[in-house]
Amino acid sequence: MSNPNNITDSSELSIGIELGSTRIKTVAIDSQFNTLATGSFEWENNYINGYWTYSVNDIWVGLQQSYQDMTNKLKEKFNITVRKVNSLGVSAMMHGYLAFNEQEDLLVPFRTWRNGNTVEAAKILRTTFNYNIPERWSIAHLYQAVIDKEVHVNQVNYITTLAGYIHWYLTGEKVLGIGDASGMFPVDVERQMYRADLLEETDILLNAEGFNKSVIDLLPKIKVAGDNAGHLTNEGARLLDPDGNLESGCVMCPPEGDAGTGMVATNAITPCSGNISAGTSAFAMIVLEQSLRNVYPEVDIVATPSSSEVAMIHTNNCTSEINAWMNLFSQVLETMGVSFSSDDLYGQILKASEKSDDDLGGLLSYGYVSGENITQVEVGYPLFIREPNHQFTLGNFMKTQLFSAFSTLKIGMDLLKENENIAIHKLIAHGGIFKTERIAQEVLSAAMDAPITVMNQASEGGAWGISVLARFATTDKDITLAQYLDEFVFANVDEMTIEPAAQTVNNFDAYIEKTTKGLPIERQLSHYLEGEEDARKIKTRSI
């Protein structure tokens, strides 16, 4: 790889780290936003004692190994040792629950966005606020713990998200970007603060349950894109780089959620723009011209990193089932003694979907590794159904898996489009599934019945997005984030737009009709196949 700017040291680098649900990724960019090196660490959540979680040890080991992988590649490509850097930013999965006591000890294992144990709390908050509070949000986790009289709640002194936690340990600052903060508690995008009226309502609800601390005292302070959110401390530098090469002192931007960094990575932060992120989970983010008229349990209201209101359709499941099948295909090929790369495996098998029939061979799939709020599936079981007397081919199978990955997102988006007067001028998609050119993009275009654009940074995703936000935090220009992205970051970007194909749109609509009819099967599985997650939920319902 050539050195695009003849970089001789690390002082001009901006580094972005994103802790996703299956991978921790580190990206180093130069002053022209070119990606010079990336590092990664694969990890998985675990279901322990009734909760989806990641261990604190895995968080820090994964962070260090991802960072080290990036620095090793930078050394190999450019003979650069990372010491002093321009800026640094941390992003991670939104929502969830990390609660600490006065001694700054973690009170319970990290409860991720995937946990659906907060149904009761979310419903009460939603009704009281007349504002959608999803089960994933931090305030729902806190309130549910209070309702359940969990032993730890009386010790809670601070709650934050995963990105907020990492940033706190690297800088000593208890802050959070407004995008990530909007997944903890409702925010006022005009005033760039938590909604005071709803804070008061929450305190009343909590006090009634015997919890006497004020919520505002537990939450991180809000920052917006461009703010200086602290500096990397000596302790933080050693946490990130135990080898001791990284110097302290660099500016750190506000920590953000993966939804916000996805918006930045796709230049979708202005009204009527939107982006779709596809990974273990999926979400569509539509920046609003005006607030929605109604409250929908299927639609989150969050914020861009620069504090504009966003309608968010979030699905707990997207590509996990495709990854599971690819792993199976990989084992088959390895058994046969065939060597291949991961890119070749995904590329060739996904391309087989181009030879599918309009009716997908009578196949139906629910890739529900976990439950789904939008389709009222409480507990997820991946389910594959095959009608007899149809063409059971690899092409039909893979097209079905792709349709399934985006089906719940389509159901949510259709609800929003049918009930609200929203305008979307451009939808940009990103995520690893788009590495294989055109295949997933064409399916998503049919699902949304709208043009879908993919940029050349699509597979870099949020780690690149947070590195851009880190760079923006050090700019001296009097400029908005939108201007910065348009005039500098995306001025010469390569992108490809695909229009929806009429026949594929019709095929997807037919598939959604079939999916909807079959949902009672998926919903009933937990009554007959009582797994570990089912057992906890059934026990909770009986209390």
Side-chain angles (χ1 to χ4, degrees):
M1 178 178 177
S2 63
N3 190 328
N5 289 310
N6 297 315
I7 294 173
T8 58
D9 62 52
S10 62
S11 61
E12 285 301 309
L13 298 182
S14 292
I15 296 172
I17 305 172
E18 182 156 281
L19 294 91
S21 53
T22 60
R23 182 172 62 160
I24 300 174
K25 187 170 185 178
T26 303
V27 169
I29 65 171
D30 62 17
S31 59
Q32 300 303 309
F33 316 104
N34 298 303
T35 299
L36 300 185
T38 67
S40 66
F41 175 83
E42 304 291 328
W43 69 342
E44 286 288 347
N45 51 191
N46 297 298
Y47 193 72
I48 300 174
N49 297 325
Y51 295 96
W52 290 104
T53 187
Y54 298 86
S55 75
V56 170
N57 184 65
D58 285 348
I59 291 170
W60 289 106
V61 168
L63 198 72
Q64 290 169 356
Q65 292 195 18
S66 174
Y67 176 83
Q68 184 180 56
D69 187 23
M70 180 276 294
T71 59
N72 288 344
K73 290 175 181 175
L74 204 61
K75 180 71 173 178
E76 179 183 329
K77 292 175 182 177
F78 306 125
N79 195 29
I80 292 173
T81 298
V82 179
R83 301 189 188 281
K84 180 181 179 181
V85 298
N86 174 271
S87 52
L88 198 151
V90 177
S91 171
M93 300 169 273
M94 292 180 70
H95 320 298
Y97 183 69
L98 281 155
F100 301 86
N101 62 17
E102 287 187 8
Q103 289 73 44
E104 301 183 348
D105 297 320
L106 185 63
L107 292 170
V108 291
F110 170 38
R111 297 175 181 178
T112 77
W113 55 270
R114 192 167 229 166
N115 289 290
N117 64 298
T118 61
V119 174
E120 180 185 2
K123 183 177 181 180
I124 294 171
L125 291 168
R126 186 182 304 123
T127 302
T128 303
F129 293 174
N130 191 31
Y131 187 100
N132 185 33
I133 302 297
E135 296 164 14
R136 306 178 305 277
W137 282 24
S138 305
I139 189 57
H141 281 277
L142 174 64
Y143 187 36
Q144 190 68 54
V146 170
I147 292 173
D148 293 342
K149 310 298 181 186
E150 292 194 39
V151 175
H152 80 273
V153 294
N154 289 328
Q155 300 179 62
V156 174
N157 188 63
Y158 179 57
I159 61 174
T160 190
T161 64
L162 181 56
Y165 163 64
I166 300 295
H167 183 91
W168 171 29
Y169 271 57
L170 295 183
T171 66
E173 301 289 340
K174 293 181 177 180
V175 300
L176 200 59
I178 193 166
D180 207 6
S182 68
M184 294 192 73
F185 194 91
V187 299
D188 182 333
V189 294
E190 297 296 330
R191 303 178 67 186
Q192 299 177 356
M193 58 189 295
Y194 300 109
R195 289 225 355 218
D197 56 333
L198 301 187
L199 286 169
E200 186 176 342
E201 295 270 14
T202 307
D203 285 347
I204 292 171
L205 290 172
L206 291 172
N207 289 344
E209 296 288 340
F211 185 86
N212 297 315
K213 295 179 181 177
S214 182
V215 175
I216 189 62
D217 295 333
L218 309 180
L219 294 168
K221 291 181 172 58
I222 288 178
K223 296 280 187 176
V224 297
D227 286 349
N228 179 327
H231 295 82
L232 182 67
T233 63
N234 290 329
E235 295 81 3
R238 295 295 78 76
L239 273 174
L240 195 55
D241 178 20
D243 291 340
N245 292 317
L246 181 62
E247 297 178 10
S248 61
C250 74
V251 170
M252 291 194 63
C253 69
E256 267 298 349
D258 49 2
T261 55
M263 286 186 277
V264 171
T266 53
N267 194 18
I269 66 163
T270 55
C272 301
S273 65
N275 84 297
I276 294 174
S277 174
T280 302
S281 63
F283 40 80
M285 314 289 292
I286 310 301
V287 186
L288 300 173
E289 286 184 293
Q290 56 190 18
S291 297
L292 299 183
R293 295 190 299 267
N294 301 303
V295 176
Y296 306 95
E298 302 87 351
V299 182
D300 303 4
I301 302 300
V302 292
T304 69
S306 52
S307 197
S308 293
E309 199 168 46
V310 177
M312 176 182 184
I313 308 290
H314 182 280
T315 68
N316 289 340
N317 303 278
C318 185
T319 62
S320 289
E321 189 66 356
I322 291 176
N323 294 336
W325 283 108
M326 289 296 185
N327 184 55
L328 181 65
F329 297 151
S330 174
Q331 291 178 39
V332 171
L333 292 171
E334 287 172 353
T335 301
M336 300 298 293
V338 179
S339 62
F340 51 89
S341 68
S342 177
D343 286 347
D344 285 341
L345 175 70
Y346 275 79
Q348 294 304 314
I349 293 182
L350 285 173
K351 284 177 183 176
S353 67
E354 293 181 307
K355 298 179 181 179
S356 62
D357 300 319
D358 288 342
D359 67 355
L360 305 185
L363 305 181
L364 179 63
S365 176
Y366 297 92
Y368 286 0
V369 177
S370 58
E372 280 290 0
N373 174 56
I374 289 176
T375 49
Q376 292 85 53
V377 174
E378 188 173 356
V379 178
Y381 279 89
L383 176 65
F384 174 63
I385 302 170
R386 180 168 73 91
E387 290 185 48
N389 304 318
H390 283 73
Q391 293 293 317
F392 186 36
T393 65
L394 180 61
N396 283 331
F397 179 80
M398 288 314 302
K399 184 61 74 68
T400 299
Q401 295 302 320
L402 286 165
F403 274 29
S404 174
F406 296 122
S407 59
T408 309
L409 187 68
K410 174 178 173 58
I411 291 169
M413 281 291 289
D414 285 351
L415 177 146
L416 187 61
K417 289 191 288 186
E418 289 165 8
N419 291 278
E420 294 285 342
N421 182 26
I422 62 168
I424 307 173
H425 297 160
K426 192 173 188 179
L427 272 174
I428 304 172
H430 67 108
I433 193 69
F434 302 108
K435 273 188 175 182
T436 303
E437 193 173 286
R438 295 187 303 101
I439 305 298
Q441 189 179 357
E442 288 177 351
V443 171
L444 183 57
S445 177
M448 299 295 103
D449 193 12
I452 298 292
T453 298
V454 170
M455 296 177 171
N456 58 0
Q457 296 95 348
S459 63
E460 301 294 351
W464 184 82
I466 192 66
S467 69
V468 170
L469 286 174
R471 195 88 199 173
F472 181 59
T474 63
T475 183
D476 293 328
K477 298 180 176 65
D478 184 15
I479 191 172
T480 67
L481 178 60
Q483 291 171 326
Y484 187 72
L485 296 179
D486 282 340
E487 296 174 16
F488 296 97
V489 182
F490 293 98
N492 299 300
V493 70
D494 292 327
E495 60 182 36
M496 179 175 69
T497 299
I498 289 180
E499 300 284 337
Q503 186 59 56
T504 311
V505 171
N506 292 337
N507 296 346
F508 211 123
D509 287 342
Y511 183 80
I512 290 297
E513 183 178 350
K514 187 174 183 178
T515 296
T516 304
K517 288 180 179 178
L519 276 170
I521 304 171
E522 176 70 26
R523 293 176 184 136
Q524 288 295 313
L525 284 176
S526 62
H527 295 283
Y528 302 103
L529 302 174
E530 186 177 320
E532 187 179 356
E533 186 177 8
D534 293 321
R536 181 183 64 78
K537 291 197 172 186
I538 290 169
K539 180 180 178 182
T540 301
R541 287 198 297 268
S542 65
I543 293 175

